Amino acid sequence: MKKIIRLTINNQSHEIAVEPNLTLADMLRYQLALTGTKKGCDTGDCGACTVIMDGNAVNSCLVLAVQANGSVIETIEGLTTAEGLAPLQEAFVEKGAIQCGFCSPGMILSAKNLLDKNPNPSEQEIREGISGNLCRCTGYQKIFEAIESQSS
Amino acid sequence: MLLPTFEFHEPLSIKDALKLKKSLGEDAKLLAGGTDLLVHLKKKLITTNNLISLSGIKALSLITKEKNAVIIGSCTTMTQLSSTPIIQKNFPALKAGCDNLGTHLIRNRATIGGNACNASPAGDTLPALLIYDALALLETSDKKREIPMADFFTGPGKSCIQPDEILTGFRLPIPGKNSGAHYIQLGKRKSSEINLVNVAAFLKYDPDTKKIIDARIALGSVAATPIRSPKAESTLMGQTPEEACFFAAGEMARREDCHPIDDFRGSARYRQAMVGVLTKRTLTRAYELARSACI
């Protein structure tokens, strides 16, 4: 039986009817067409589906949509403003931190969550901060440099 | 991967959750962080018609201090535990376990109760729960019981929790003065790894006689469940804390107390050898912490 959930996604409130077995990742992609959130492994190993839920980066493939009832969600679509890309996204472009681009939304959201909590992370902290996000192109060094350029 | 269909229940109190568990029977599964359960459901390793989410029960995600103990709610997340001062100060080996589990994305969801109920021999918080003499707090609609973590696990993925029971949390006695504890996990990579061997150790010594008066060692990934290492512990009692006796305890743990198996992660012989090394290292660090705490 479908349940009605209310949540805020990228500063917009939504009221959505969802099946209990729908994951947050699938709800974002298939019911709201927010396809910036990617699905890689679907088992919480790759981090492609990373979103920020109530201030914490999580694997949205391992959260049921019904569990997100009442929460505040940020997805990659929420970073861009009327002025264009967010500085962190610009930095990824500038530093060549995007290759195929599949890991980028998750990688950027993990980086944003890290910088929100810790504006001046050490090298170790940056590397740990993206350790839940896999890049099959293995472009980790440039991703690291992009994040480092945004630390205050 | 599609999740099978199920009914979703979200009780707001422990009482309501217990009522639901009783009426829905053995088939109903409790959902905490979901980082293991949802994967198992997706892979069709388990099936259920009813999921009871515990996220709505605020009391389960609290960390509270009693006179000589700390109560950790079963739905406390790894991130929450790791950033709580009372845990950092009194239970460093537990904090280390929380910091090593999965990835930061998993740690933001995964709960300590879930880690215990999943009962993996390699679980990251489990050796710490064993060495801190934690009690599991179990509740049914008409009674409560407390089980030492040493008696909690009954096999890989299995625990002594009864079908109508809910694990509400853990009671951890606050270690007294002159004690220290440490946890080390060994894997092939640093993040998102299933441990090859994980060891936690606790030491307490008498500053007057300079002898060890309490020693607890727990070994993970080297038996069907996380285990205590009783023979190694007994070699330490009454000894002067120094390298030779830590080495002897490691040797005892390696030879007598662990029963690893060969699998694709590593051989039994390698695991056994590492039990010796890691036991010695955790004891050495636990003693350093115990000594620095009393200065």
Side-chain angles (χ1 to χ4, degrees):
Chain A
M1 197 179 68
K2 281 194 176 180
K3 294 209 177 226
I4 308 275
I5 60 164
R6 291 178 189 84
L7 71 175
T8 307
I9 302 168
N10 302 331
N11 293 322
Q12 269 192 316
S13 14
H14 291 262
E15 193 174 282
I16 312 164
V18 293
E19 290 289 347
N21 65 344
L22 187 75
T23 62
L24 178 59
D26 285 344
M27 183 194 83
L28 292 168
R29 288 179 58 82
Y30 306 136
Q31 290 197 218
L32 299 174
L34 294 171
T35 52
T37 302
K38 301 301 176 196
K39 280 178 69 182
C41 66
D42 219 14
T43 51
D45 296 305
C46 77
C49 67
T50 303
V51 302
I52 300 176
M53 179 175 175
D54 297 325
N56 287 316
V58 301
N59 297 112
S60 64
C61 73
L62 294 185
V63 179
L64 296 175
V66 282
Q67 288 181 293
N69 192 10
S71 65
V72 177
I73 308 284
E74 290 173 76
T75 72
I76 191 69
E77 288 88 350
L79 263 65
T80 312
T81 60
E83 286 100 69
L85 296 180
L88 180 61
Q89 290 172 301
E90 285 287 4
F92 267 65
V93 176
E94 273 309 298
K95 299 281 177 186
I98 296 170
Q99 292 185 53
C100 84
F102 195 83
C103 76
S104 306
M107 204 60 96
I108 291 170
L109 287 168
S110 271
K112 179 183 188 294
N113 198 226
L114 169 73
L115 293 168
D116 285 348
K117 290 179 178 178
N118 178 4
N120 190 13
S122 66
E123 176 181 344
Q124 183 67 22
E125 286 166 337
I126 294 177
R127 293 191 192 280
E128 277 174 16
I130 53 167
S131 62
N133 297 80
L134 300 182
C135 169
R136 285 301 307 267
C137 311
T138 69
Y140 292 105
Q141 187 54 31
K142 290 187 186 297
I143 292 168
F144 169 80
E145 285 165 17
I147 301 168
E148 194 182 35
S149 76
Q150 293 301 299
S151 73
S152 52
Chain B
M1 268 174 277
L2 285 175
L3 280 164
T5 53
F6 48 75
E7 283 301 311
F8 183 78
H9 309 270
E10 198 168 27
L12 297 175
S13 69
I14 297 173
K15 213 173 134 197
D16 290 350
L18 287 164
K19 246 188 246 165
L20 271 168
K21 190 82 182 81
K22 200 170 183 181
S23 66
L24 295 170
E26 209 163 324
D27 166 72
K29 295 278 183 281
L30 297 172
L31 174 66
T35 53
D36 280 315
L37 183 63
L38 294 182
V39 175
H40 294 167
L41 283 168
K42 284 184 183 188
K43 291 185 174 169
K44 314 278 185 279
L45 297 173
I46 55 167
T47 54
T48 182
N49 293 315
N50 290 286
L51 269 195
I52 304 173
S53 166
L54 301 177
S55 332
I57 307 173
K58 295 218 165 58
L60 291 183
S61 48
L62 296 178
I63 300 169
T64 43
K65 190 174 179 295
E66 287 187 340
K67 194 164 172 251
N68 296 315
V70 171
I71 308 281
I72 298 173
S74 54
C75 290
T76 317
T77 66
M78 297 297 122
T79 304
Q80 199 184 339
L81 280 166
S82 172
S83 56
T84 303
I86 196 170
I87 303 295
Q88 295 167 342
K89 181 170 173 271
N90 297 295
F91 306 105
L94 179 61
K95 178 183 152 46
C98 294
D99 289 342
N100 279 309
L101 186 143
T103 67
H104 65 105
L105 301 168
I106 297 289
R107 291 193 288 274
N108 283 335
R109 297 289 297 167
T111 67
I112 188 162
N115 201 224
C117 292
N118 196 48
S120 160
D124 261 305
T125 63
L126 311 180
L129 289 175
L130 287 170
I131 58 150
Y132 286 126
D133 274 347
L135 293 165
L137 312 179
L138 298 166
E139 230 178 289
T140 64
S141 40
D142 47 22
K143 68 173 197 295
K144 293 183 182 186
R145 60 180 183 136
E146 301 191 356
I147 295 286
M149 282 310 286
D151 303 329
F152 182 82
F153 305 107
T154 54
K158 294 198 179 96
S159 69
C160 66
I161 301 180
Q162 298 302 306
D164 59 343
E165 266 180 332
I166 290 181
L167 173 68
T168 59
F170 304 92
R171 183 193 308 276
L172 276 69
I174 293 177
K177 281 182 184 163
N178 310 313
S179 70
H182 192 53
Y183 170 74
I184 300 178
Q185 102 295 354
L186 177 72
K188 285 185 179 162
R189 57 201 301 277
K190 284 182 187 155
S191 179
S192 195
E193 169 68 318
I194 294 177
N195 297 319
L196 266 167
V197 177
N198 49 335
V199 177
F202 171 91
L203 266 192
K204 187 169 190 173
Y205 79 106
D206 184 330
D208 300 325
T209 62
K210 306 267 187 258
K211 303 283 187 207
I212 297 170
I213 50 173
D214 198 355
R216 299 173 216 148
I217 299 166
L219 312 174
S221 326
V222 290
T225 68
I227 50 168
R228 285 278 290 266
S229 181
K231 287 183 181 152
E233 289 170 3
S234 63
T235 63
L236 291 163
M237 297 299 284
Q239 299 293 310
T240 309
E242 58 189 15
E243 193 178 346
C245 90
F246 298 151
F247 177 78
E251 286 299 290
M252 194 56 102
R254 174 173 76 84
R255 290 209 184 111
E256 303 285 340
D257 286 334
C258 68
H259 319 281
I261 54 166
D262 288 315
D263 69 12
F264 65 93
R265 286 193 188 85
S267 66
R269 272 186 67 192
Y270 177 67
R271 285 193 162 100
Q272 206 161 6
M274 291 307 106
V275 163
V277 174
L278 297 185
T279 301
K280 184 183 157 216
R281 282 189 198 165
T282 47
L283 285 167
T284 308
R285 183 71 187 136
Y287 174 58
E288 278 170 18
L289 289 170
R291 221 173 32 170
S292 69
C294 72
I295 293 169

